[in-house]
């Protein structure tokens, strides 16, 4: 071995060691929320101009912390326009059915102005699958079978050798082969890293707060660490000086025994905890008693530490039967159970919660509501005094808008107030009725018993007075639009959640006191 080669190896090894030592994962786990806000919503397939308007008219005023948006990079146009075409990039230009770069920039600025952060779903593991012709949403053309993407540009040498994933216990195969036929980029190659970093840094320049990293499981942690470590700090005029982007990674690992383990990734940033929604789905479906939730998040259920987690009940994949969880996954179609599970997620202190906001679908490939030219239709939400969420389609034009259901946005306000207050005053009937307080700031009760009313006098830990239930309504003009609860001088209250109620939950917090 020549001295020059040996010297190059030593320099490279030293650089790798320095990178590993200097990488501060905690810096990438701060979502940069403002005004004590706590909850993100995924506005799946919304257009940029509609998100900007929703930030201003609803999300900001109702205390939402951020929005995860659909992929912004130019994607392959697929016949019948299924939702998953957004996950087949053809270039890194910002132009999709959601809008162009100018509209995206305007949305980010408007949402930041009202305290709502924007997080981009980024697809950097792969490009498209084979398609002929291969035309993008911005007019770019590619030759996927030859692995030619001139709009980036990427060529054959920028991809791993073609192979399929047949064994998920083989970590090398999972990370180096094509996911569902999508051409797998080689993030270990310097040029590929440069193009990815360039794309992400441009989004940072436009004012985003961070990224959801799609298919992180299918990329080597060392490659991701190198990419994250080269990202710019966030814009100081929005976030302050020297703030790093929030990173949350898609790593589906339920058993911890596959070839790729989620604990390889939470050292880099946060991880989306798929087991969270699956386990809660099983409980709220009645497959296990709700009394088992007493030590939720405080005992070993195979979940990652709370500081490292994006918690969710469902996402765009598993609500359609993809990804993981099967029939355990709850979504808007089982409205009562779904609202209960989301309310529990928001009432409990575990993780960074993310709410799903969907469009109605009859088949799992169906794309967003669109006109006869395949242009995405805008949601048409009802304004003013909003309904209680019993109608899953009240947002209009086929949009479900779970984030506008009263039990859900009401609990967003609950979580913003209770913050890190201790979970106390746990009560259970020994089965599927439970209640607890969050310090002296909030109280919540759940009735998961089929055909049985919850009628109990319970310790709430709250100050005496009359409070508005945020599940059935809200406090408006000094009055409750839904149920009210009276807390006595000893902190107890008569709590009633009837078996035939649409929501199965009752909740109130300090700011709802009359």
């Amino acid at each position: 071995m020549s001295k020059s080669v040996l010297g190059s190896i030593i320099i490279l090894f030293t650089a790798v060691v320095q990178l590993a030592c200097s990488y501060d994962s905690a810096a990438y786990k701060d979502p940069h929320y403002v005004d004590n806000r706590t909850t993100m919503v995924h506005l799946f397939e919304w257009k940029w101009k509609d998100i900007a308007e929703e930030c201003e008219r609803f999300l900001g005023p109702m205390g939402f912390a951020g929005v995860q948006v659909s992929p912004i990079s130019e994607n392959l146009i697929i016949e019948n326009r299924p939702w998953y075409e957004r996950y087949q990039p053809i270039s890194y230009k910002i132009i999709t059915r959601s809008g162009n770069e100018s509209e995206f920039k305007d949305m980010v600025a408007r949402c930041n102005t009202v305290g709502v952060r924007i997080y981009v779903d980024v697809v950097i593991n792969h490009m498209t699958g084979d398609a002929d012709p291969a035309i993008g949403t911005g007019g770019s053309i590619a030759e996927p079978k030859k692995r030619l993407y001139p709009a980036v540009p990427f060529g054959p040498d920028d991809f791993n050798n073609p192979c399929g994933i047949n064994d998920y216990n083989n970590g090398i195969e999972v990370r180096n082969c094509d996911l569902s036929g999508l051409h797998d980029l080689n993030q270990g190659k310097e040029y590929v890293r440069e193009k990815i970093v360039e794309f992400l840094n441009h989004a940072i320049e436009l004012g985003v707060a961070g990224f959801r990293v799609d298919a992180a499981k299918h990329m080597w942690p060392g490659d991701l660490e190198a990419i994250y470590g080269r990202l710019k700090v966030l814009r100081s005029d929005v976030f302050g000086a020297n703030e790093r982007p929030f990173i949350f990674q898609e790593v589906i690992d339920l058993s911890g025994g596959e070839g790729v383990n989620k604990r390889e990734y939470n050292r880099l940033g946060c991880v989306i905890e798929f087991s969270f929604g699956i386990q809660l789905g099983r409980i709220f479906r009645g497959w296990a008693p709700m009394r088992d939730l007493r030590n939720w998040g405080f005992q070993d259920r195979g979940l990652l530490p709370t500081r490292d987690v994006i918690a969710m009940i469902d996402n765009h994949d598993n609500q359609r039967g993809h990804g993981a969880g099967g029939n355990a996954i709850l979504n808007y179609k089982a409205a009562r159970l779904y609202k209960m599970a989301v309310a529990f997620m928001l009432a409990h202190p575990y993780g960074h919660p993310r709410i799903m906001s969907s469009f109605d679908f009859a088949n799992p490939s169906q794309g967003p509501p669109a006109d006869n030219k395949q242009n995405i239709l805008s949601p048409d939400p009802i304004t003013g005094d909003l309904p209680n969420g019993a109608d899953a389609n009240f947002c209009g034009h086929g949009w479900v808008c779970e984030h506008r259901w009263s039990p859900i946005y009401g609990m967003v306000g609950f979580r913003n107030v209770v913050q890190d207050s201790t979970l106390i005053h746990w009560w259970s009937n020994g089965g599927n009725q439970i209640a607890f307080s969050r310090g002296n700031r909030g109280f919540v009760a759940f009735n998961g018993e089929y055909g049985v009313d919850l009628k109990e006098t319970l310790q709430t830990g709250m100050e005496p007075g009359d409070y508005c239930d945020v599940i059935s309504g809200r406090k408006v003009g000094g009055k409750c639009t839904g149920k009210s609860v009276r807390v006595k001088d000893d902190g107890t209250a008569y709590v009633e959640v009837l078996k035939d109620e649409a929501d199965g939950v009752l909740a109130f917090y300090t700011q709802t006191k009359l």
Side-chain angles (χ1 to χ4, degrees):
M1 181 182 294
S2 69
K3 289 184 178 179
S4 61
V5 172
L6 179 60
S8 298
I9 291 174
I10 291 172
I11 292 171
L12 178 61
F13 176 77
T14 302
V16 170
V17 170
Q18 288 175 341
L19 177 62
C21 292
S22 62
Y23 188 90
D24 179 11
S25 66
Y28 298 86
K29 295 177 182 179
D30 179 357
H32 309 291
Y33 294 156
V34 300
D35 299 332
N36 293 318
R37 303 182 190 203
T38 59
T39 304
M40 181 190 310
V41 59
H42 181 190
L43 295 182
F44 182 47
E45 289 275 15
W46 280 46
K47 292 184 291 188
W48 309 145
K49 69 180 187 67
D50 294 333
I51 294 175
E53 291 174 1
E54 190 72 349
C55 282
E56 293 168 342
R57 70 188 170 194
F58 187 83
L59 298 177
M62 289 299 177
F64 283 79
V67 176
Q68 177 189 316
V69 303
S70 290
I72 64 176
S73 50
E74 181 184 15
N75 61 266
L76 176 69
I77 297 174
I78 299 178
E79 187 177 7
N80 297 322
R81 310 308 297 270
W83 64 268
Y84 55 77
E85 74 170 34
R86 293 289 285 265
Y87 292 84
Q88 297 198 32
I90 204 168
S91 82
Y92 292 143
K93 298 175 184 176
I94 300 177
I95 182 164
T96 68
R97 281 206 288 172
S98 288
N100 59 32
E101 180 171 330
S102 176
E103 291 166 328
F104 177 77
K105 180 180 179 181
D106 178 68
M107 172 202 71
V108 174
R110 289 166 64 183
C111 290
N112 276 329
T113 297
V114 294
V116 181
R117 302 310 193 198
I118 298 296
Y119 307 90
V120 176
D121 193 351
V122 291
V123 186
I124 58 175
N125 171 68
H126 55 262
M127 298 301 281
T128 72
D130 286 340
D132 188 15
I135 302 173
T137 44
S140 297
I141 297 174
E143 296 181 76
K145 291 183 178 179
K146 297 180 180 179
R147 284 170 162 68
L148 291 173
Y149 296 87
V152 179
F154 283 143
D157 292 341
D158 299 316
F159 294 85
N160 287 313
N161 293 328
C163 55
I165 302 173
N166 299 306
D167 180 7
Y168 271 82
N169 289 316
N170 184 332
I172 295 175
E173 193 173 285
V174 169
R175 287 159 169 151
N176 287 352
C177 292
D178 294 348
L179 170 64
S180 301
L182 304 171
H183 302 323
D184 195 66
L185 287 165
N186 180 0
Q187 292 81 16
K189 184 177 179 182
E190 177 57 25
Y191 174 74
V192 174
R193 290 180 180 178
E194 287 176 1
K195 301 310 290 184
I196 291 171
V197 169
E198 179 183 290
F199 167 55
L200 300 181
N201 278 338
H202 184 47
I204 289 172
E205 291 167 354
L206 295 177
V208 306
F211 304 101
R212 177 221 184 235
V213 182
D214 181 69
K217 171 180 183 174
H218 297 275
M219 292 176 277
W220 290 95
D223 293 340
L224 289 175
E225 182 174 344
I227 290 168
Y228 301 161
R230 289 163 58 180
L231 296 181
K232 291 183 176 181
V233 295
L234 299 177
R235 281 178 43 175
S236 59
D237 60 324
V238 179
F239 303 96
N242 299 317
E243 296 291 343
R244 291 286 174 181
F246 183 47
I247 301 290
F248 54 108
Q249 305 157 105
E250 182 196 26
V251 183
I252 304 175
D253 171 33
L254 307 184
S255 66
E258 290 188 9
V260 174
N261 192 300
K262 59 193 173 187
R263 287 174 173 79
E264 298 176 73
Y265 293 84
N266 66 322
R267 68 179 183 83
L268 306 177
C270 285
V271 170
I272 302 166
E273 182 56 273
F274 281 77
S275 292
F276 178 92
I278 293 170
Q279 292 186 43
L280 283 184
R282 293 179 60 83
I283 290 172
F284 281 92
R285 284 191 181 277
W287 301 354
M290 289 175 63
R291 67 169 184 263
D292 291 351
L293 292 170
R294 177 165 191 165
N295 294 312
W296 177 261
F298 305 112
Q299 65 184 30
D300 184 14
R301 289 177 175 266
L303 302 177
L304 290 169
T306 181
R307 65 183 180 277
D308 297 347
V309 165
I310 289 289
M312 66 176 188
I313 301 302
D314 63 333
N315 78 343
H316 66 282
D317 270 320
N318 63 19
Q319 71 169 197
R320 288 166 170 75
H322 301 304
N327 292 332
I329 299 298
L330 286 167
N331 65 21
Y332 71 91
K333 296 188 179 189
R336 186 177 192 271
L337 300 180
Y338 184 73
K339 287 180 279 188
M340 291 174 69
V342 173
F344 181 84
M345 174 179 73
L346 295 173
H348 196 278
Y350 180 80
H352 299 288
R354 182 186 64 190
I355 293 167
M356 182 67 196
S357 193
S358 317
F359 56 81
D360 189 35
F361 63 92
N363 72 74
S365 296
Q366 184 177 328
D371 62 22
N372 56 13
K373 294 183 179 179
Q374 295 301 321
N375 297 309
I376 295 177
L377 295 173
S378 295
D380 186 20
I382 297 171
T383 57
D385 194 13
L386 300 168
N388 68 3
D391 177 5
N393 296 298
F394 79 89
C395 208
H397 295 168
W399 296 93
V400 177
C401 291
E402 294 96 320
H403 70 284
R404 279 181 167 261
W405 295 4
S406 178
I408 291 179
Y409 74 76
M411 289 304 296
V412 169
F414 179 102
R415 190 181 185 94
N416 288 349
V417 170
V418 300
Q419 293 288 320
D420 58 355
S421 298
T422 305
L423 194 157
I424 57 175
H425 300 308
W426 171 270
W427 171 86
S428 165
N429 71 338
N432 293 302
Q433 294 177 347
I434 63 171
F436 56 86
S437 301
R438 293 294 306 282
N440 62 354
R441 297 181 185 177
F443 174 84
V444 63
F446 298 81
N447 184 7
E449 296 283 8
Y450 290 97
V452 179
D453 293 334
L454 190 166
K455 296 181 177 180
E456 295 283 343
T457 297
L458 301 173
Q459 178 56 247
T460 70
M462 304 287 287
E463 292 183 358
D466 293 329
Y467 294 82
C468 295
D469 169 38
V470 298
I471 303 297
S472 59
R474 53 187 175 136
K475 177 182 170 183
V476 178
K479 297 181 180 179
C480 301
T481 63
K483 291 196 276 184
S484 63
V485 180
R486 174 161 293 178
V487 176
K488 298 179 181 179
D489 290 342
D490 62 357
T492 64
Y494 174 71
V495 175
E496 185 175 274
V497 184
L498 303 179
K499 60 181 181 292
D500 56 354
E501 291 182 15
D503 302 323
V505 188
L506 178 143
F508 56 93
Y509 55 92
T510 52
Q511 273 78 345
T512 67
K513 185 178 179 182
L514 296 177

